[in-house]
Amino acid sequence: MTFYANDDVLIYKIFTTTLQGEAQDWFHSLPPRSIQNLSKLSLVFTKEYSSYRSIKKKSNHLFSMKKNQKESLCTYVKRFKAEKAKIVGCDDNIACSTFQKGLLADHLFFGELIVGENLSLENSYALAEKHSLWDEEKLSQKSP
């Protein structure tokens, strides 16, 4: 390979064999003779796929989090924690507020959170866990 290191055609052919899936489809969709050399290929490829890097999320992303009506409280908490974990340096006050606002107003737990003054996010999680266990107990008592 070192012997052919300056052979653009060989490197070009080897590069194309490493592509798979969507990247391979993209390569085959390029117009014929649109790539004149390896540096052009490198530029076009980088331009196409550099936009696929992960986008850093900010704390305000959590405002879109809502508990679905049929979703258990436990599942909502897990989903919320997973989204919060994706945010570097997430402000706990914003997270706590959005966690509360994401709950359905008719849920008993929502009332407890609103009444609880200055609850931290961790305390809200703990209260949610306690409530989830209580909900599960109620469901298990109803089923035969």
Side-chain angles (χ1 to χ4, degrees):
M1 191 71 187
T2 322
F3 180 75
Y4 295 105
N6 292 329
D7 188 356
D8 280 359
V9 176
L10 180 63
I11 294 172
Y12 179 85
K13 289 192 183 280
I14 291 171
F15 172 77
T16 59
T17 62
T18 65
L19 298 176
Q20 295 177 352
E22 189 178 313
Q24 190 175 48
D25 294 343
W26 165 81
F27 177 78
H28 290 296
S29 71
L30 290 172
R33 296 182 188 82
S34 62
I35 307 293
Q36 293 80 22
N37 55 42
L38 192 59
S39 65
K40 171 81 173 173
L41 175 63
S42 177
L43 177 69
V44 172
F45 183 82
T46 304
K47 196 175 195 181
E48 177 69 19
Y49 286 98
S50 65
S51 63
Y52 288 97
R53 64 187 181 277
S54 61
I55 298 170
K56 293 181 181 172
K57 295 180 179 181
K58 296 181 181 174
S59 296
N60 62 358
H61 162 70
L62 295 175
F63 283 109
S64 65
M65 298 286 301
K66 303 279 185 236
K67 180 186 174 298
N68 301 322
Q69 198 162 6
K70 294 183 180 181
E71 180 180 35
S72 73
L73 183 58
C74 185
T75 305
Y76 171 66
V77 171
K78 285 179 186 175
R79 192 167 54 89
F80 190 90
K81 284 181 176 182
E83 287 302 311
K84 183 185 177 290
K86 295 176 185 175
I87 301 169
V88 178
C90 183
D91 183 284
D92 274 353
N93 291 329
I94 292 174
C96 191
S97 178
T98 56
F99 176 73
Q100 291 173 3
K101 290 189 185 315
L103 291 167
L104 301 172
D106 61 346
H107 196 283
L108 290 172
F109 178 60
F110 180 79
E112 280 189 51
L113 281 178
I114 298 303
V115 171
E117 291 183 31
N118 299 324
L119 277 178
S120 69
L121 187 58
E122 290 306 315
N123 289 342
S124 297
Y125 288 157
L127 192 57
E129 189 174 316
K130 182 177 137 187
H131 235 280
S132 291
L133 294 174
W134 181 74
D135 284 348
E136 287 174 17
E137 277 181 36
K138 258 180 44 178
L139 286 174
S140 66
Q141 288 172 358
K142 285 182 181 180
S143 58

